[in-house]
């Protein structure tokens, strides 16, 4: 099932902004259809529309960022595991070459997109409690969903930009903190954990096949947050590794979640919002279709029903070749990659002479042998998978206890068994930790996770040595002149934001 976010949310946002001041009525008659902040949020349907608008805002990740690019590409281009086959977008190329600054459109779009999520969730959290009459259980759930989405947005922001403005109430031009200063990273993380622990108690179901936030999603995100807090830059250590392990174990031992038996299920419409998929960004072609398909296709090699095949974000050959021998994830059209596909999407099979991302490939939209594609993609975009929960537990338990236990080995080996590669045993703490890191690089690739692992670990996977380099000084395998520096641990604040609000100064180090 899908969370069918219709246009109600957009109508809500426009109504509150455009009609917020009201207007003079003919003969002073009060028009009951005129929406204002005072007359909205009065019936349960308003609360449902408001949270739907918040979910809709999360789709900024797939929005355009200039010619042939969407925002999701930013997190892949800076990892060294992705490249582009189109040279037209200078912002994308600057990310790929680590020469970006605060003028970069993708850097700006991530900032704006995340704060749009926060603005809408702040409205929900402030206004929905006053709606009466309203079912108390559903009201609590909506507030829990809003707190999760706000935490989700701030978790991205604090990892991308460091100290950021912490805004938890709706803003107007007359708000005393309309030009906010930046809040320290530790306080931002406190808000994130406060929101998530409140969402845990909001009465959400453990799973939700409609695509709404579930208790499993809340606990999974909280485990990610604790794992990040244990590492850099907060470096809270063993106590927070223990928190991450405990929270991920709650998800692992709950019913309903598990690894799909086939990698094809990861991009199957019938498996969305269930099983391995704990939280996804929702797409539905009749409302808002998945716009990423063309960007991930080979550059005009005629392998799809789409006419605009862009090759905007594709794997590097070095990373593709770093998978272990026999790893099913690297097998053509069965795992995460494809090196051949059907002419026009449904015709004769042809070799492509390079790897492309199959993990997010919509077979229905692109086509398959004998069946033409629809060019209408309903495929959701992953945010949290059960595979990540397993790897979070394995890493966190090992660090918290000083040695991997049986459950940590089983979590790691579940990933490896599905990939048809040998199980591991008898490793030292350090060797086990690096084995988990390698699985994170290979299992979670192209899901917007790798960059954040690099930053929290201060380590980067080296495809040539199969080991890990220090972040600072690491050279990308296919571009040795592209070298990570200390300044790359954070992105710059968008220049336009600093111009509009001088209170955001100083800019991040090195920009």
């Amino acid at each position: 099932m899908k969370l069918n976010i219709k246009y109600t949310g957009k109508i809500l946002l426009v109504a509150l902004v455009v009609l917020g001041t009201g207007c003079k009525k003919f003969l002073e008659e009060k028009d009951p259809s005129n929406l204002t902040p005072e007359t909205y949020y009065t019936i349960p349907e308003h609360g449902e529309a408001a949270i739907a608008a918040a979910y809709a805002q999360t789709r900024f990740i797939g929005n355009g960022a200039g010619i042939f690019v969407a925002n999701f590409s930013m997190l892949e281009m800076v990892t060294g595991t992705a490249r582009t086959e189109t040279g037209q977008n200078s912002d994308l190329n600057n990310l790929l070459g680590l020469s970006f600054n605060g003028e970069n459109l993708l850097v700006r779009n991530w900032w704006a997109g995340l704060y749009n999520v926060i603005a809408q969730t702040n409205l929900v959290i402030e206004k929905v409690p006053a709606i009466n009459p309203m079912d108390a259980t559903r009201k609590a759930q909506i507030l829990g969903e809003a707190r999760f989405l706000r935490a989700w947005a701030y978790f991205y922001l604090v990892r991308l930009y460091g100290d950021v403005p912490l805004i938890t109430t709706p803003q107007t031009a007359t708000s005393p903190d309309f030009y906010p200063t930046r809040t320290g990273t530790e306080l931002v993380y406190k808000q994130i954990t406060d929101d998530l622990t409140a969402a845990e108690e909001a009465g959400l179901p453990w799973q939700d096949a409609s695509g709404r936030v579930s208790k499993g999603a809340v606990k999974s995100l909280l485990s990610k947050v604790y794992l990040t807090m244990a590492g850099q830059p907060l470096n809270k250590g063993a106590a927070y590794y223990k928190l991450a392990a405990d929270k991920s174990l709650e998800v692992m031992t709950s019913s309903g979640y598990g690894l799909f038996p086939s990698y094809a299920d990861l991009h199957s419409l019938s498996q969305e919002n269930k099983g391995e998929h704990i939280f996804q960004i929702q797409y539905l072609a009749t409302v808002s279709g998945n716009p990423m398909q063309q960007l991930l296709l080979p550059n005009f090699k005629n392998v799809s029903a789409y006419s605009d095949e862009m090759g905007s974000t594709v794997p590097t050959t070095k990373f593709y070749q770093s998978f272990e021998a026999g790893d099913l994830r690297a097998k053509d059209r069965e795992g995460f990659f494809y090196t051949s596909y059907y002419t026009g999407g449904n015709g004769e099979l042809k070799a492509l002479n390079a790897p492309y991302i199959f993990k997010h490939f919509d077979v229905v939209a692109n086509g398959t042998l004998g069946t033409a594609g629809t060019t209408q993609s309903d495929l959701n975009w992953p945010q949290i998978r059960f595979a990540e929960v397993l790897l979070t537990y394995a890493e966190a338990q090992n660090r918290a206890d000083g040695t991997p236990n049986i459950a940590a080995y089983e979590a790691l080996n579940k990933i490896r068994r599905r990939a048809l590669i040998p199980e591991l045993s008898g490793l030292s703490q350090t060797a086990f930790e690096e084995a988990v890191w390698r699985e994170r690089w290979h299992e979670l690739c192209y899901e917007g996770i790798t960059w954040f692992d690099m930053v929290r670990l201060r380590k980067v996977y080296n495809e040539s040595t199969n080991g890990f380099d220090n972040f600072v000084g690491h050279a990308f395998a296919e571009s040795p002149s592209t070298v990570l520096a200390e300044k790359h641990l954070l992105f710059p604040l968008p220049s336009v934001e600093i111009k509009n609000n001088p209170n955001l100064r100083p800019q991040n180090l090195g920009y």
Side-chain angles (χ1 to χ4, degrees):
M1 294 178 64
K2 292 267 190 181
L3 173 59
N4 192 354
I5 303 171
K6 296 182 182 293
Y7 298 104
T8 313
K10 293 182 180 179
I11 293 171
L12 165 64
L13 292 173
V14 172
L16 292 180
V17 173
V18 176
L19 300 178
T21 57
C23 61
K24 212 167 180 63
K25 306 293 187 295
F26 181 62
L27 297 180
E28 297 299 319
E29 181 180 353
K30 295 193 180 297
D31 181 0
S33 67
N34 186 44
L35 299 177
T36 69
E38 291 71 37
T39 61
Y40 206 80
Y41 296 103
T42 56
I43 59 175
E45 288 78 4
H46 294 168
E48 297 289 356
I51 193 61
Y55 282 106
Q57 292 292 343
T58 65
R59 291 198 289 262
F60 82 88
I61 285 178
N63 290 351
I67 187 170
F68 297 164
V69 176
N71 293 322
F72 80 90
S73 297
M74 185 178 86
L75 298 182
E76 306 302 339
M77 287 296 144
V78 290
T79 65
T81 67
R83 62 186 180 88
T84 184
E85 292 184 335
T86 178
Q88 287 91 330
N89 191 295
S90 59
D91 290 312
L92 189 70
N93 292 332
N94 288 339
L95 287 163
L96 190 61
L98 300 179
S99 58
F100 55 90
N101 57 29
E103 298 293 328
N104 191 283
L105 180 58
L106 288 86
V107 170
R108 186 194 318 168
N109 286 352
W110 271 89
W111 176 282
L114 291 165
Y115 273 112
N116 283 339
V117 174
I118 291 164
Q120 185 60 30
T121 54
N122 283 344
L123 275 171
V124 173
I125 292 165
E126 179 172 280
K127 299 294 186 179
V128 167
I131 297 177
N132 282 303
M134 183 176 183
D135 178 75
T137 298
R138 183 61 194 134
K139 180 186 289 188
Q141 289 175 339
I142 286 176
L143 294 172
E145 293 170 48
R147 287 187 179 278
F148 172 93
L149 293 173
R150 185 166 70 179
W152 173 88
Y154 270 121
F155 189 41
Y156 270 120
L157 278 166
V158 75
R159 291 179 296 165
L160 289 170
Y161 305 102
D163 297 351
V164 293
L166 185 60
I167 303 167
T168 58
T169 57
Q171 298 290 298
T172 68
T174 59
S175 296
D177 55 348
F178 190 67
Y179 293 98
T181 59
R182 297 167 72 175
T183 302
T185 296
E186 185 134 11
L187 288 177
V188 177
Y189 271 104
K190 183 181 185 304
Q191 182 63 52
I192 293 167
T193 56
D194 286 349
D195 273 344
L196 291 175
T197 51
E200 278 188 292
E201 303 304 320
L204 298 169
W206 261 100
Q207 292 180 286
D208 194 323
S210 74
R212 292 184 181 274
V213 172
S214 65
K215 181 176 284 191
V218 175
K219 290 180 181 292
S220 298
L221 182 56
L222 195 49
S223 73
K224 290 181 62 166
V225 171
Y226 286 144
L227 183 70
T228 302
M229 295 175 75
Q232 300 290 344
L234 295 184
N235 201 27
K236 288 185 173 292
Y240 276 73
Y241 281 119
K242 178 69 163 57
L243 288 170
D246 290 348
K247 199 56 62 178
S248 53
L249 187 61
E250 289 182 45
V251 180
M252 291 163 56
T253 54
S254 66
S255 60
Y257 295 116
L259 296 180
F260 290 133
S262 168
Y263 293 118
D265 291 328
L266 291 176
H267 49 115
S268 168
L269 295 175
S270 66
Q271 298 298 328
E272 292 185 325
N273 304 319
K274 63 180 70 169
E276 190 165 347
H277 290 306
I278 298 176
F279 183 63
Q280 298 181 286
I281 293 174
Q282 305 294 298
Y283 285 102
L284 190 63
T286 55
V287 178
S288 180
N290 179 320
M292 278 85 85
Q293 292 301 308
Q294 304 98 302
L295 300 174
L296 298 172
L297 295 170
N299 186 248
F300 295 106
K301 291 188 178 180
N302 188 27
V303 296
S304 172
Y306 288 102
S307 59
D308 46 352
E309 301 174 339
M310 300 174 187
S312 171
T313 303
V314 300
T316 61
T317 301
K318 290 284 190 183
F319 179 69
Y320 169 69
Q321 292 173 341
S322 72
F323 284 72
E324 292 181 40
D327 194 323
L328 189 60
R329 292 170 295 192
K331 188 173 181 179
D332 183 25
R333 289 173 286 123
E334 289 193 33
F336 296 167
F337 304 89
Y338 63 108
T339 56
S340 66
Y341 207 68
Y342 307 107
T343 301
N346 64 331
E348 182 181 358
L349 186 68
K350 62 180 176 181
L352 300 175
N353 302 314
Y356 297 91
I357 299 170
F358 202 55
K359 178 185 278 188
H360 306 302
F361 191 92
D362 188 338
V363 173
V364 174
N366 288 295
T368 190
L369 182 62
T371 304
T374 64
T375 68
Q376 301 292 313
S377 180
D378 293 329
L379 196 64
N380 290 343
W381 192 256
Q383 287 295 289
I384 305 173
R385 286 198 291 125
F386 187 71
E388 184 182 6
V389 174
L390 291 173
L391 293 171
T392 295
Y393 175 77
E395 179 180 350
Q397 182 280 320
N398 179 52
R399 287 298 297 268
D401 294 344
T403 187
N405 64 15
I406 294 173
Y409 269 111
E410 177 60 14
L412 175 61
N413 285 327
K414 279 183 178 179
I415 303 289
R416 295 179 64 83
R417 278 198 297 271
R418 184 171 63 170
L420 302 183
I421 51 179
E423 296 184 28
L424 300 176
S425 63
L427 302 178
S428 68
Q429 181 190 30
T430 300
F432 182 85
E433 180 172 64
E434 291 200 0
V436 174
W437 293 350
R438 273 188 289 272
E439 288 306 320
R440 290 185 67 89
W441 252 259
H442 290 129
E443 176 66 28
L444 306 177
C445 60
Y446 311 115
E447 296 184 45
I449 293 171
T450 301
W451 173 254
F452 297 121
D453 278 348
M454 292 164 58
V455 171
R456 71 178 177 85
L457 297 171
R458 300 294 197 262
K459 296 287 185 180
V460 186
Y461 177 62
N462 185 314
E463 297 95 329
S464 299
T465 67
N466 201 35
F468 289 86
D469 298 340
N470 290 332
F471 181 100
V472 176
H474 172 80
F476 288 173
E478 294 195 1
S479 179
S481 62
T482 304
V483 180
L484 288 164
E486 185 176 359
K487 76 177 219 175
H488 298 125
L489 292 167
L490 291 175
F491 283 84
L493 272 63
S495 299
V496 66
E497 298 293 336
I498 292 179
K499 291 175 184 176
N500 290 337
N501 179 14
N503 290 337
L504 295 176
R505 294 192 178 104
Q507 176 62 280
N508 283 337
L509 180 69
Y511 298 103

